[in-house]
Amino acid sequence: MAATAELFEEPFVADEYIERLAWRTPGGGSRGGVEAFDPKRLLEEFVNHIQELQVMDERIQRRVEKLEQQCQKEAKEFAKKVQELQKSNQVAFQHFQELDEHISYVATKVCHLGDQLEGVNTPRQRAVEAQKLMKYFNEFLDGELKSDVFTNSEKIKEAADIIQKLHLIAQELPFDRFSEVKSKIASKYHDLECQLIQEFTNAQRRGEISRMREVAAVLLHFKGYSHCVDVYIKQCQEGAFLRNDIFEDAAILCQRVNKQVGEIFSSPETVLAKLIQNIFEVKLQSYVKDQLEEHKKSDAEQYLKNLYELYTRTTNLSSKLMEFNLGTDKQTFLSKLIKSIFISYLENYIEVEIGYLKSRSAVILQRYYDSKNHQKRSIGTGGIQDLKERIRQRTNLPLGPSIDTHGETFLSQEVVVNLLQETKQAFERCHRLSDPSDLPKNAFRIFSMLVEFLCIEHIDYALETGLAGIPSSDSKSANLYFLDVVHQANTIFHLFDKQFNDHLMPLISSSPKLSECLQKKKDIIEQMEVKLDMGIDRTLNCMIGQMKHILAAEQKKTDFKPEDENNVLIQYTNACVKVCGYVRKQVEKIRKSMDGKNVDTVLMELGVRFHRLIYEHLQQYSYSCMGGMLAICDVAEYRKCAKDFKIPLVLQLFDTLHALCNLLVVAPDNLKQVCSGEQLANLDKNILHSFVQLRADYRSARLARHFS
């Protein structure tokens, strides 16, 4: 392979180059296998190729040296040429400076000459202008307008310029000598002004924007320019309010005028602001008055709804108009317009709101009680009633006759939802319509109405009625409806709390009224919790009373001391079956009526009282051996019933009672061993002794010796 410079072009890889050389050499590659490999031939080829590379290297080196010499020569020539160009550039720059100085000198002379010419021409032009004005003034003085500018309607623009100047001059003239001419000039001034406004009006009707712009520019120097703007605003509104939605019409009109007004007037923001002011003070104010005055005295609900909707839509329109250029402080400008419309309605808004809320809430409650054919009784306050309340809270005695509510709780979720919905709407209106400084105070007043009618007039009344309907603990009546009152009251409390957090808190969160509202809420809930606790306590007493009646009616002395010890066929007594059935129903009812930890608290209290009842009940009888076995079976059934409570303490109490009942049947010799057992070891010795005393063989077996 002949060595050439092209073989060493980038990218050059030495290994690949050697491989190619070996492959091209006969006997040097892998072709033909091991037998065909000829190392001598390959060595010879490598030696020859190295010599070729050395020759090529020498040739390239000579060429490089030649090119370097040539480059040095050209560099010297180029440097010489650059020096010559620099000298030429310096000469040219010197000539340029001389030329610039000469031009500046000529320009100064020209400016000076121009100033001199202007100084001569300006007085001349003023003199010519004054001469023309004097000529026109003479025509007014003579009483006959002959100039074409006044007689040709096409030159109204030039006539307007002249008459405007003459009008200014006439203002300076003494009235006694020039009263007549001043009157004529003023009359012509007024006529031209009217013509220009009429021309502007016609151009607007034809939609000729360029002509409107020309006339407006001329009228800008006249006193009637504002009238031109008024005409434009009036004509813009023609046919713009044909639909039922005045707010949408107003927004569309302002959008259209905003695009057009900049092409006509020199100060478009002023014209647009005047249009918006006209819409608010004429169209919107009239519309709002018609909508509100109709219901202000006759229908407070519709009045408040209309006020809220109108104010909301007006503020939304104001937000849309904020996009337009209305001058420097458009926020204040639009706020003042809104205030001018609604100020008379917003000043006494909260009084109307509270009055409506009070009457509406009273109607909702009365309608509910009427549907139940219930005459709401008054719950007295002060004096004897307070004394009764304090005695009842401390002693839990039912003062006064029990009221039969026929299972009615006098709590209605529908009534609650209606009251909360009315209050929610009141909070929304309060947020929108109240001044920011009055918002927390107004929101608190609405909340006070909710507390009065929902919490006091409805929930508290139901609790009082429910308390009065709870029978005494020794009553044979089994109608215990107070748990239904508890269940519904819990549901209502959750709804009340949700509205407090969702709708009231955002309105008062950053004001001193927050702590006042929280305290009011806390007080009313605590007040109701006291009555709920009292009612639950008395209900539990009634449950225990019902169990006592069952046990007294069903339990016989012969149950635990049968006449025939060998012929006892029952597993547990009838009294036990009925009591357990009653208890299971009450446990289920408590679980349905309450939630959270309240369930466990009430069930634990019921379980403890249930245990005490059974314990005291068993103490009333004497037990034979078979009767003791039956008592153990009864307690085992009671213990199974206690498991439904799912309260460890209650189950433990019945486990201990079951262990105590074993003392009724254990052999006398094993009595001491059983008393020291795991479940009974920690009990007082007198308790163990009292149970052993119930055995029929207590005296005959001399069991007292075990406790001496």
Side-chain angles (χ1 to χ4, degrees), residues 51 54 64 129 137 245 275 350 368 398 400 455 487 498 500 514 570 598 636:
Q51 290 176 354
Q54 288 174 342
V64 167
E129 186 72 25
F137 186 81
D245 194 341
L275 169 65
I350 193 61
Y368 168 71
C455 299
H487 174 62
K498 186 175 189 306
F500 183 91
L514 174 61
I570 59 173
N598 293 331

Side-chain angles (χ1 to χ4, degrees), residues 1 7 14 38 47 66 110 124 140 176 183 230 274 288 291 351 365 434 440 540 577 586 632 669 693:
M1 182 175 67
L7 293 173
D38 188 354
V47 171
K66 184 177 179 182
V110 169
R124 180 177 175 279
F140 279 99
D176 53 348
S183 175
D230 292 339
K274 197 167 183 180
V288 168
Q291 293 290 311
E351 302 304 329
L365 289 176
S434 295
L540 294 182
V577 173
Q586 302 313 311
I632 290 173
D669 295 339
Q693 284 178 323

Side-chain angles (χ1 to χ4, degrees), residues 504-571:
L504 177 61
M505 283 293 287
L507 307 184
I508 60 172
S509 58
S510 57
S511 77
K513 285 291 180 183
L514 174 61
S515 58
E516 198 173 339
C517 286
L518 289 172
Q519 186 61 45
K520 192 177 185 73
K521 176 188 170 190
K522 181 184 176 185
D523 291 344
I524 196 70
I525 289 178
E526 285 179 352
Q527 175 187 332
M528 293 186 184
E529 282 178 346
V530 168
K531 293 180 180 179
L532 286 170
D533 291 344
M534 187 192 312
I536 291 169
D537 185 63
R538 288 172 58 189
T539 300
L540 294 182
N541 283 343
C542 287
M543 291 179 183
I544 298 301
Q546 289 297 310
M547 295 180 211
K548 281 183 181 179
H549 283 299
I550 295 170
L551 290 171
E554 301 294 333
Q555 198 85 69
K556 300 184 177 78
K557 288 187 177 182
T558 55
D559 287 344
F560 301 118
K561 204 173 181 181
E563 296 176 359
D564 185 0
E565 291 278 330
N566 298 320
N567 194 24
V568 179
L569 301 177
I570 59 173
Q571 295 180 341

Side-chain angles (χ1 to χ4, degrees), residues 483 543 547 550 577-593 603 606 641 644-645:
L483 289 178
M543 291 179 183
M547 295 180 211
I550 295 170
V577 173
K578 289 192 175 182
V579 167
C580 288
Y582 178 79
V583 170
R584 286 191 174 96
K585 287 181 182 177
Q586 302 313 311
V587 170
E588 185 63 27
K589 195 166 188 179
I590 289 171
R591 290 195 185 280
K592 288 180 179 178
S593 301
L603 286 179
L606 177 62
C641 181
D644 294 344
F645 285 68

Side-chain angles (χ1 to χ4, degrees), residues 323-461:
E323 301 172 6
F324 306 140
N325 179 17
L326 304 176
T328 52
D329 195 359
K330 52 188 174 183
Q331 178 72 50
T332 305
F333 170 70
L334 292 170
S335 298
K336 285 182 178 178
L337 290 178
I338 295 173
K339 189 175 181 180
S340 67
I341 295 175
F342 290 98
I343 187 167
S344 61
Y345 305 107
L346 297 182
E347 282 177 343
N348 67 336
Y349 149 71
I350 193 61
E351 302 304 329
V352 178
E353 185 73 78
I354 295 299
Y356 165 71
L357 200 58
K358 191 172 184 177
S359 62
R360 177 63 179 161
S361 300
V363 167
I364 291 171
L365 289 176
Q366 190 57 49
R367 193 176 294 163
Y368 168 71
Y369 294 124
D370 289 346
S371 71
K372 299 293 181 182
N373 293 320
H374 175 73
Q375 182 64 41
K376 192 176 180 185
R377 65 191 184 93
S378 61
I379 300 171
T381 58
I384 295 174
Q385 182 65 26
D386 286 346
L387 179 61
K388 283 184 177 182
E389 187 64 28
R390 286 199 294 271
I391 294 172
R392 188 168 63 181
Q393 288 180 13
R394 294 188 180 188
T395 64
N396 204 25
L397 294 174
L399 302 178
S402 175
I403 297 174
D404 187 3
T405 60
H406 304 288
E408 182 58 60
T409 63
F410 293 107
L411 284 173
S412 167
Q413 197 158 343
E414 182 182 352
V415 167
V416 172
V417 168
N418 287 339
L419 289 174
L420 290 175
Q421 182 64 22
E422 291 292 344
T423 313
K424 175 188 172 185
Q425 292 173 357
F427 280 135
E428 288 174 352
R429 289 193 290 264
C430 177
H431 188 199
R432 174 69 70 178
L433 301 174
S434 295
D435 187 88
S437 60
D438 295 331
L439 178 58
K441 178 177 65 177
N442 293 347
F444 178 75
R445 292 184 66 182
I446 293 171
F447 174 65
S448 298
M449 285 289 102
L450 178 64
V451 169
E452 179 183 344
F453 285 95
L454 175 62
C455 299
I456 297 174
E457 294 293 329
H458 191 54
I459 304 175
D460 191 65
Y461 176 76

Side-chain angles (χ1 to χ4, degrees), residues 106-157:
V106 172
T108 304
K109 290 290 186 183
V110 169
C111 288
H112 179 65
L113 182 61
D115 290 341
Q116 288 180 328
L117 290 173
E118 187 177 0
V120 173
N121 189 51
T122 301
R124 180 177 175 279
Q125 283 182 335
R126 287 176 181 170
V128 171
E129 186 72 25
Q131 185 184 14
K132 288 181 180 179
L133 289 174
M134 289 172 66
K135 174 189 170 187
Y136 297 134
F137 186 81
N138 284 335
E139 291 185 15
F140 279 99
L141 200 60
D142 296 339
E144 187 178 357
L145 300 178
K146 301 176 181 178
S147 298
D148 184 52
V149 72
F150 292 126
T151 57
N152 190 347
S153 60
E154 297 294 328
K155 295 185 178 182
I156 189 171
K157 185 176 178 181

